[in-house]
Amino acid sequence: MEFAELIKTPRVDNVVLHRPFYPAVEGTLCLTGHHLILSSRRQDDAEELWLLHSNIDSIEKRFVGSLGTIIIKCKDLRIIQLDIPGMEECLNIASSIEALSTLDSVTLMYPFFYRPMFEVVEDGWRSFLPEQEFELLSSLTDEWRLSCINKEFSVCPSYPAVVIVPKSIEDEALRKVAAFRHGGRFPVLSYYHKKNGMVMMRSSQPLTGTNGRRCKEDEKLINATLRAGKRGYIIDTRSLNVAQQARAKGGGFEQEAHYPQWRRIHKSIERFNILQESLIKLVEACNDQSHNMDRWLSKLEASNWLTHIKEILTAACLAAQCIDREGASVLVHGTEGTDSTLQVTSLAQIILDPRCRTIRGFESLVVREWLQAGHPFQQRCAQSAYSNSKQKWEAPVFLLFLDCVWQILRQFPCSFEFNEHFLIMLFEHAYASQFGTFLGNNENERSKLKLQTKTMSLWSWVNRPQELNKYKNPLFEANSLVIWPSVAPQSLQLWEGVFLRWNRSSKFLDEAYEEMVTLIEYNKQLKAKVNALRRQLAELETDDGMRENP
Amino acid sequence: YLFVQVENVRLLDRVSSRKATLGTLYLTATHVIFVENASETRKETWVLHSQISSIEKQATTATGCPLLIRCKNFQVIQLVIPQERDCHDVYISLIRLARPVKYEELYCFSFNPKLDKEERERGWRLVELSAEYNRMGIPNNYWQMSDVNRDYGVCDSYPTEVYVPKSATAHIIVGSSKFRSRRRFPALSYYYKDNNASICRSSQPLSGFSARCLEDEQMLQAIRKANPGSDFLYVVDTRPKLNAMANRAAGKGYENEDNYSNIKFQFIGIENIHVMRSSLQKMLEVCELKSPSMSDFLWGLENSGWLKHIKAIMDAGIFIAKAVAEEGVSVLVHCSDGWDRTAQVCSVASLLLDPYYRTMKGFMVLIEKDWVSFGHKFNHRYGNLDGDPKEISPVIDQFIECVWQLMEQFPCAFEFNERFLIHVQHHIYSCQFGNFLCNSQKERRELKVQERTYSLWAHLWKNRADYLNPLYRSDHSQTQGTLRPQIAPCNFLYKFWSGMYNRFEKGLHPRQSVTDYLMAVKEETQQLEEELEVLGERLASLQKVQLNDNKVRSKQQDQNKELGRSTFNISLANTPQEYNNDLKSFPSRSPSQGDEEDSALILTQDNLKSSDPDLSVNSDQESGVEDLSCRSPSVGGCLPSEDSGKDSDEAVFLAV
């Protein structure tokens, strides 16, 4: 298919762009296969807007006489308005944008066409391999092994080709366990707590059904992670009620009788359309222009967004507490094990493991616990807060995770190597990107799409020093401890950097950030100067000393 | 007074009933003191009687008799006293102690910071209002000081020195005062010298349905004419229209535009003190909820209406600042008596207009000007002496919160930090200093407050290093000119201030303080600058003389020792909260696990203790307080330590 077929009018002059907090800009609007471009004609400070079609969540059109207006609502929550002279041009532009922003085929997406203008220093596709992760683990314990049972993605289509499992469990047993777990997602290692050797595993629900099916291999597998005489915790991310109902559909949960060494805790975390609706309501509240304080608070409350944040953080803190404080191993699962499960396992690692609070470590966490773990990014991030479609697969699961990270970052502002912008950048790229990293729903799909050869990895770009500097937290001081966030309502706040980003001027806050960077940079420079001078002085004095006392 | 001492009292943790400390309770003439039994810590909790807002004796249980003490600085203390009789004694004594009937019973009359007379007097002279009016450019061609009220003869709640238009004769002033509630005639609050526009304040006119007063009309005319660039004057009534109209039936009311030449009349609905009191009450109930859900909290917050009221005050201040700075129009502000809402709105507008009021000294001046001198009834509003509970209302608390809300929106604009605001709020209620005693200047003079007590401003000024905003720079763009807060959409700009209303629940606050961190950076930067200079000089002299000087060498070694120390000693004493009740029944954790880290931490805390007593108090290992203390220059937690000379009424109650 040629994009040209979809572009009915490639270019319109005298289009006026309106954005909040910026003066209107008049210019020429161009449509390409992947971008909407508006460039102003003014020579003094030519302004340009480049918008990826895939970033467009929905559009609305209005007409006043022959002047058409298109309101474009983006997945990054921005809303812009284009005034287009001429009804026909406007209609053409609108239908072109609509078609281009809802392409069906992944291979037509921009990452397959994007040619990087930077030199690739390190190929991001090879930056975070499971083998490297296993090597790290092997230096700490020999109780685990790398299994290639899934190398054809036949045992579990949503798992990566290699996974880490208890050494004592053979591949044959894994095959049986996979048959006993939803979608074949048998328990695998998610995190090893080196302080006490406790582990966190994740899986999907067991297929116990109404007649209480059991699987000896499953029991053996998870028991293999327990020390003698020790008990473990199973954190089920559904309420007991929901878990019980799942049995009717062939799913279920671990029965006490068959897993006597495990204690099950239900921590309800919402899923799919409930989360999607929550996002839609929240963004609606944030965009409300009325002057009514009460309405704002009740809309914020009614969106339930912060309630979801609290639930997710609480479950993650509980998992971390079991591991670090109770000295117990933990298995986390919900139904599929691809959403709330990953929120819990990844956040627990941020609490427990200082490595995950570095830039590199956080990237590795996203790769391990989200991309390789089979979070269906393509389905979940197909639409954002302005979507009209009622497809049931979209859900801001990853955005909620990032929001939770932001909450912890806000409570421990000196303990993270990255800043808020880093999290916002990941949010943007998960929804629309020139990079292939977040395409596809799992490693299986990504390998079929040959993303590694056909697209560029986000990490190749981000990890270049000049780019990385934007994301470094100037306050960072390595903190090797476990950080326990507060989950009280008073401690949780709306993530303004994402949700109010386009509704409030950030000028004064940005200035404060710059001031902070300046203060710290100046301090570092002075330190360097003082150290250099001291060295110089010391040398001089030693020289003197040697001359005096030969 | 009876000195009460009760043994084996339990101090409960607000969040977790499992975490309680055993100790001894003492009542002195000025404080409630709880001393922990645990020999290694012996933590002390001091609460001033004047901070106590309510005492509640609850039903006796098997473990004892619970006593709940709520404080005006939002601390809540739950005690369990073993014997019912003891509890009753404590209760009765506290009721009496917390409600003094004479000013002489207040702490400021016994508080002695060991300053000599001259230091005390110098302290009182730190803030001088005549100098402030000079700074504004007064007297000038249009404005002058009037001594018409020199013996409080015209208005007993006004100061003796009042600034009025030059053209307003004593006859006009006196005539106008007779037409205003409590004779609070229009007087100058702020003069904007860039364009001659001004903010004046008064009480409501006694207009009823049709009454007029020629002198009052002349007075407003004089104010308008003192701003020759503008052909009209705004009259802002800060009450809701309905309230103002109801007042007409009582012979009061508001200005009729037909009777006053060239005024534009404007209502800005801020609710009265009774609505505000109950709003705060509702919000505090939300703050006190035990493990509330997000919905409980947001619902409760909305239901309290608190942020709506804060926004109303801000809106009024923004309107006036805009009229003055952008339109160049003078404004007369009043409410009913002109000492509550009027004070709030005038001071918010001044703060927006003039960067000076955003400095530490300027903020002190602002409170002296718009609150203390113009007869804000501190004694009645903050219940210093036993009085009518219906007079109590968090009027200045709301102003202080407005300042905080602005600080959140303009992080570089204020010279002082959040801690400063919290300490000012604390001392408005503490009665430790004489500044806020009584209801008017007249009463304070009769009581000889300045001769008998100390000034808070001098105390805060002495410790100003603790209160500096590290992001403030006098040449920064945010510190210049008028602050213009975003007007629409803006609801989300007003946020719940947990640093104030959950001040004592440290577990709810960010565990690392950016402010403290940056303060430490700035302090170190200053040391580095000094050292750089010294090193530079030494290097120059060494290179010149090339002499071996042993003295220099030994100094050099000292310096090197310093280099070894790490700059920021960030330690993290951090334990999980109760994320799940299920874990309670689980066998307690084995001693072999997780303790290594804790013990390491305790050591760190000990180290800190020697250098900084406040920090050690903050880090409570067992109470579930997750505390991370960035080492700050010389600052304690956010509590007024030293104030009472004994690490007073704060610190210990950090328990979550």
Side-chain angles (χ1 to χ4, degrees), chain A residues 414-416 473 475-480, chain B residues 512 517 567-570:
Chain A
C414 307
S415 297
F416 288 80
N473 175 9
L475 300 169
F476 179 56
E477 299 256 321
N479 168 7
S480 62
Chain B
Q512 294 173 313
Y517 182 94
T567 326
F568 310 113
N569 188 355
I570 297 179

Side-chain angles (χ1 to χ4, degrees), chain B residues 157-171:
Chain B
S157 61
Y158 264 18
T160 50
E161 300 187 351
V162 199
Y163 294 81
V164 291
K166 254 189 174 165
S167 60
T169 60
H171 173 74

Side-chain angles (χ1 to χ4, degrees), chain B residues 366-633:
Chain B
L366 183 64
I367 289 188
E368 282 292 330
K369 172 172 78 77
D370 281 332
W371 297 82
V372 178
S373 86
F374 271 108
H376 176 64
K377 301 199 293 173
F378 282 92
N379 175 41
H380 286 164
R381 295 293 173 262
Y382 312 118
N384 298 340
L385 294 188
D386 193 21
D388 181 359
K390 286 206 175 66
E391 283 280 325
I392 292 175
S393 188
V395 183
I396 202 167
D397 302 62
Q398 289 183 313
F399 165 64
I400 290 173
E401 174 165 341
C402 286
V403 181
W404 178 80
Q405 300 280 0
L406 282 170
M407 278 164 65
E408 287 285 290
Q409 295 173 37
F410 300 91
C412 306
F414 291 83
E415 191 192 16
F416 47 86
N417 57 26
E418 181 186 20
R419 186 183 290 132
F420 180 69
L421 293 180
I422 291 173
H423 284 194
V424 170
Q425 191 273 353
H426 177 94
H427 284 298
I428 280 165
Y429 290 92
S430 76
C431 300
Q432 187 172 331
F433 299 91
N435 304 59
F436 311 119
L437 243 43
C438 307
N439 291 317
S440 67
Q441 191 186 68
K442 181 169 179 261
E443 286 181 31
R444 276 187 297 278
R445 292 215 172 144
E446 282 164 5
L447 198 62
K448 298 196 188 322
V449 164
Q450 297 209 358
E451 288 97 273
R452 299 165 72 191
T453 73
Y454 294 86
S455 168
L456 168 66
W457 306 131
H459 173 77
L460 293 176
W461 188 249
K462 194 181 78 203
N463 299 314
R464 63 186 171 278
D466 298 356
Y467 302 124
L468 289 173
N469 170 12
L471 294 175
Y472 178 84
R473 199 160 34 84
S474 57
D475 55 350
H476 192 282
S477 62
Q478 278 182 40
T479 58
Q480 318 299 315
T482 307
L483 288 186
R484 292 186 176 80
Q486 183 173 326
I487 299 183
C490 63
N491 296 319
F492 44 69
L493 294 176
Y494 297 100
K495 291 179 281 194
F496 172 71
W497 187 8
S498 68
M500 177 63 89
Y501 305 106
N502 284 113
R503 178 184 155 192
F504 289 87
E505 272 124 297
K506 296 287 179 221
L508 298 181
H509 305 154
R511 250 37 62 73
Q512 294 173 313
S513 155
V514 175
T515 300
D516 287 349
Y517 182 94
L518 292 176
M519 281 166 94
V521 168
K522 275 191 115 167
E523 196 187 71
E524 195 200 39
T525 298
Q526 205 185 336
Q527 288 167 2
L528 286 169
E529 277 170 341
E530 285 162 15
E531 195 188 344
L532 201 62
E533 203 174 311
V534 172
L535 289 176
E537 280 167 20
R538 199 186 305 157
L539 190 66
S541 67
L542 254 177
Q543 282 167 335
K544 229 189 253 170
V545 195
Q546 289 280 324
L547 264 177
N548 182 16
D549 184 345
N550 276 324
K551 240 195 237 163
V552 173
R553 186 120 45 97
S554 68
K555 252 193 209 161
Q556 168 76 28
Q557 277 158 358
D558 288 349
Q559 297 279 358
N560 279 337
K561 227 179 282 165
E562 247 173 72
L563 188 69
R565 110 198 123 83
S566 87
T567 326
F568 310 113
N569 188 355
I570 297 179
S571 61
L572 183 80
N574 188 326
T575 55
Q577 298 194 330
E578 284 173 26
Y579 300 116
N580 193 306
N581 295 332
D582 300 351
L583 280 180
K584 278 182 189 166
S585 54
F586 205 69
S588 62
R589 79 176 116 128
S590 68
S592 62
Q593 276 146 8
D595 288 342
E596 205 177 318
E597 177 182 285
D598 289 354
S599 53
L601 278 171
I602 289 163
L603 280 176
T604 325
Q605 292 309 322
D606 280 345
N607 296 342
L608 279 173
K609 205 176 281 179
S610 57
S611 64
D612 198 339
D614 271 329
L615 287 180
S616 63
V617 184
N618 284 358
S619 28
D620 180 344
Q621 301 271 323
E622 288 310 313
S623 67
V625 171
E626 297 105 317
D627 177 84
L628 184 141
S629 348
C630 282
R631 193 200 217 148
S632 54

